[in-house]
Amino acid sequence: MDIRQLRYFLEIAREGQITRAAKRLHMEQPPLSRQLKQMEKELGVTLFDRSGKRLELARAGELLRQKAESLLQQFHESLNEVKELDEGVRGTLAIGAVVSCVSLLPPKIKLFHERYPNVTFHIREGDHFLLGDLLHHRSIELVVTRLPFEFVPVPKAYEIMPLPSDPFVAVVPRPWIAQTKLGSGSVTLRQLADCPFLTLKTDKTTGMHERVLERFRQSAAEPRVLCECSSVAIAVALVAAGIGMTILPKSVMASFPHPDIATVAIADTVFKSEVGIVWLKDRYLSKSARHFIGMFR
């Protein structure tokens, strides 16, 4: 079995039909069918269940799919590593960022582009689970994220470079500054406990939500949770409408400037968010990815 046959197999697995797979591979159906039979004969197993309208992977086929994807990825990475040996920094750098870290990217990308004009960017935004999945499947090379990184399919699979920590602040409707004691320049968590609270929480990621609630408990306070928001954008929109307040890392608000929103320092606790760059351990990193990480050191 060779690399070409593995590509054929993976295309059949994706399409679930030899006719469609042959069309995507720009070849006729009979030769592709012969290649599949040859693979099954060589391995001595049945790779697909052919009982339905769609070809479904058998147990052996599913195992081969996982191994084949990994082998082909390593094969392409090896080719890229060889090609880059005598080349400058060029190509496309695919990176991910959680929305609360997006504001960290523009100054670095601007400087990087000035130094390496032959590199283009592909940027994906999402939660830990989406970005972790993209990283695991090599759709992106690195992630700028809040720590800890909650997507961990394989323990100790990641390298993490910590970045400077980011203080949490109270994000409040601007009219509240004049109407309450928040105008003193700082506020305690006990004061905030009396305000309608908008918390960030999704079905998969709960780290920031739990950290904020724990800080309230340490201050012998319990927030009045009005709404659980699945994104920073939702929470900020509700704050701007005067519905409630939230607590976010200070740098987040650089991405959501709004005239009806004010940020206030939290006085009674040292409350910071840890930030870092995450990439797969023991996997090839392109020159552009290595140089981009270097700009944060």
Side-chain angles (χ1 to χ4, degrees):
M1 186 178 297
D2 56 29
I3 292 292
R4 176 176 53 90
Q5 288 176 311
L6 288 179
R7 288 196 180 105
Y8 291 167
F9 164 74
L10 287 175
E11 199 59 54
I12 295 171
R14 291 187 191 102
E15 294 297 330
Q17 188 183 87
I18 292 180
T19 302
R20 286 202 298 266
K23 186 175 180 180
R24 287 184 60 85
L25 291 165
H26 305 290
M27 63 188 297
E28 298 296 326
Q29 178 179 341
L32 184 58
S33 296
R34 287 195 295 270
Q35 289 289 337
L36 176 58
K37 290 178 181 178
Q38 182 179 332
M39 282 188 282
E40 290 181 321
K41 182 178 180 180
E42 179 181 342
L43 294 171
V45 297
T46 299
L47 297 173
F48 290 95
D49 178 1
R50 296 169 170 81
S51 60
K53 293 182 179 180
R54 177 182 172 85
L55 293 178
E56 299 291 345
L57 287 169
R59 288 182 60 188
E62 177 59 31
L63 178 60
L64 180 61
R65 182 192 65 78
Q66 296 174 16
K67 299 295 184 182
E69 286 181 343
S70 178
L71 284 170
L72 285 175
Q73 185 63 52
Q74 291 181 39
F75 175 70
H76 289 306
E77 288 176 359
S78 298
L79 292 181
N80 288 334
E81 186 171 1
V82 171
K83 289 177 181 178
E84 282 191 336
L85 189 61
D86 294 321
E87 290 184 350
V89 181
R90 61 180 63 249
T92 299
L93 174 56
I95 63 179
V98 296
V99 67
S100 63
C101 290
V102 168
S103 62
L104 302 178
L105 294 179
K108 300 298 183 183
I109 291 176
K110 183 176 186 295
L111 181 58
F112 191 91
H113 179 64
E114 291 171 355
R115 292 183 182 177
Y116 309 107
N118 293 322
V119 175
T120 57
F121 284 86
H122 181 196
I123 302 175
R124 296 291 301 270
E125 179 269 318
D127 61 24
H128 284 189
F129 279 75
L130 171 61
L131 297 176
D133 187 63
L134 292 173
L135 187 63
H136 186 66
H137 289 94
R138 306 296 286 158
S139 298
I140 56 179
E141 288 197 81
L142 52 91
V143 177
V144 182
T145 182
R146 301 286 164 181
L147 300 177
F149 191 54
E150 295 183 63
F151 181 88
V152 188
V154 182
K156 300 180 180 179
Y158 303 101
E159 295 281 358
I160 299 175
M161 186 181 80
L163 300 178
S165 56
D166 191 8
F168 278 91
V169 294
V171 181
V172 303
R174 189 168 294 279
W176 288 14
I177 300 296
Q179 297 168 5
T180 68
K181 296 179 181 180
L182 300 184
S184 61
S186 64
V187 65
T188 66
L189 289 177
R190 285 192 176 185
Q191 286 176 294
L192 293 175
D194 295 329
C195 304
F197 181 52
L198 313 169
T199 184
L200 284 175
K201 184 179 180 183
T202 71
D203 293 337
K204 293 180 179 178
T205 57
T206 61
M208 190 176 297
H209 165 80
E210 291 169 354
R211 286 195 64 197
V212 171
L213 292 188
E214 178 60 26
R215 288 292 174 156
F216 270 106
R217 285 191 286 269
Q218 290 174 2
S219 298
E222 189 69 28
R224 293 195 296 119
V225 177
L226 173 64
C227 180
E228 293 183 356
C229 305
S230 63
S231 74
V232 174
I234 293 174
V236 170
L238 294 177
V239 174
I243 294 172
M245 54 76 60
T246 190
I247 294 177
L248 294 171
K250 186 176 181 179
S251 66
V252 174
M253 297 313 298
S255 299
F256 296 92
H258 197 288
D260 296 326
I261 290 178
T263 59
V264 183
I266 298 174
D268 57 340
T269 180
V270 179
F271 192 11
K272 294 184 177 182
S273 172
E274 302 305 319
V275 186
I277 301 179
V278 177
W279 65 94
L280 289 178
K281 184 183 292 185
D282 301 325
R283 298 297 293 272
Y284 172 70
L285 274 179
S286 66
K287 273 187 179 181
S288 56
R290 295 196 301 272
H291 282 286
F292 190 76
I293 291 170
M295 297 189 72
F296 284 87
R297 293 192 187 281

